[in-house]
Amino acid sequence: QVQLVESGGGLVQPGGSLRLSCAASGSIFKINAVGWYRQAPGKQRELVARIPSGGSTVYADSVKGRFTISRDNAKNTVYLQMNSLKPEDTAVYYCNAHIQQSMMELSFVYWGQGTQVIVSS
């Protein structure tokens, strides 16, 4: 079994910062692509940032220059540093990871349970 657990959400004033963490645990051979998505009330889930297996990191235009995604492979953890937060960043943030449980298996996509971020004065 594999589990992704997010943390770090909360209430922050406009212009503030938060750092989200997503820790993967369980039977893990390799973590390939990882990413953060968000879903605001009444809207579809959207990509925020993604680190692919190969190639460059991808960011949504709305967060470029403000958010930074990173990963610590030794800790099986991915982070999202969010600076200069705006009210429109308010959403539930979900992490996503493509994980192989053994060398002989394909990657499967796992999702965390989500962490709420509220940007408000």
Side-chain angles (χ1 to χ4, degrees), residues 49-66:
R50 184 170 184 266
I51 303 176
S53 299
S56 303
T57 300
V58 175
Y59 292 95
D61 287 343
S62 59
V63 307
K64 281 181 182 177
R66 300 188 298 122

Side-chain angles (χ1 to χ4, degrees), residues 79-97:
Y79 304 97
L80 185 69
Q81 178 66 44
M82 305 187 295
N83 299 328
S84 302
L85 281 160
K86 304 175 181 180
E88 51 263 44
D89 295 318
T90 295
V92 178
Y93 284 71
Y94 299 89
C95 70
N96 159 292

Side-chain angles (χ1 to χ4, degrees), residues 30-36 47 49-59 69 71 73 96 98:
K30 183 181 179 183
I31 300 177
N32 296 305
V34 294
W36 286 95
L47 172 70
R50 184 170 184 266
I51 303 176
S53 299
S56 303
T57 300
V58 175
Y59 292 95
I69 186 173
R71 63 191 292 176
N73 292 329
N96 159 292
H98 295 234

Side-chain angles (χ1 to χ4, degrees), residues 1-116:
Q1 288 284 44
V2 172
Q3 190 175 17
L4 300 182
V5 178
E6 298 111 333
S7 60
L11 173 64
V12 63
Q13 292 187 341
S17 298
L18 282 175
R19 188 194 195 206
L20 305 184
S21 299
C22 173
S25 63
S27 177
I28 297 171
F29 169 71
K30 183 181 179 183
I31 300 177
N32 296 305
V34 294
W36 286 95
Y37 292 72
R38 67 186 180 187
Q39 187 165 18
K43 294 187 177 182
Q44 289 189 330
R45 190 173 297 189
E46 63 175 3
L47 172 70
V48 176
R50 184 170 184 266
I51 303 176
S53 299
S56 303
T57 300
V58 175
Y59 292 95
D61 287 343
S62 59
V63 307
K64 281 181 182 177
R66 300 188 298 122
F67 290 11
T68 303
I69 186 173
S70 61
R71 63 191 292 176
D72 184 333
N73 292 329
K75 296 182 179 179
N76 287 340
T77 299
V78 59
Y79 304 97
L80 185 69
Q81 178 66 44
M82 305 187 295
N83 299 328
S84 302
L85 281 160
K86 304 175 181 180
E88 51 263 44
D89 295 318
T90 295
V92 178
Y93 284 71
Y94 299 89
C95 70
N96 159 292
H98 295 234
I99 296 175
Q100 280 177 271
Q101 290 191 267
S102 76
M103 188 170 58
M104 302 304 294
E105 295 182 30
L106 298 173
S107 292
F108 285 91
V109 178
Y110 295 88
W111 290 89
Q113 82 288 353
T115 185
Q116 177 74 58

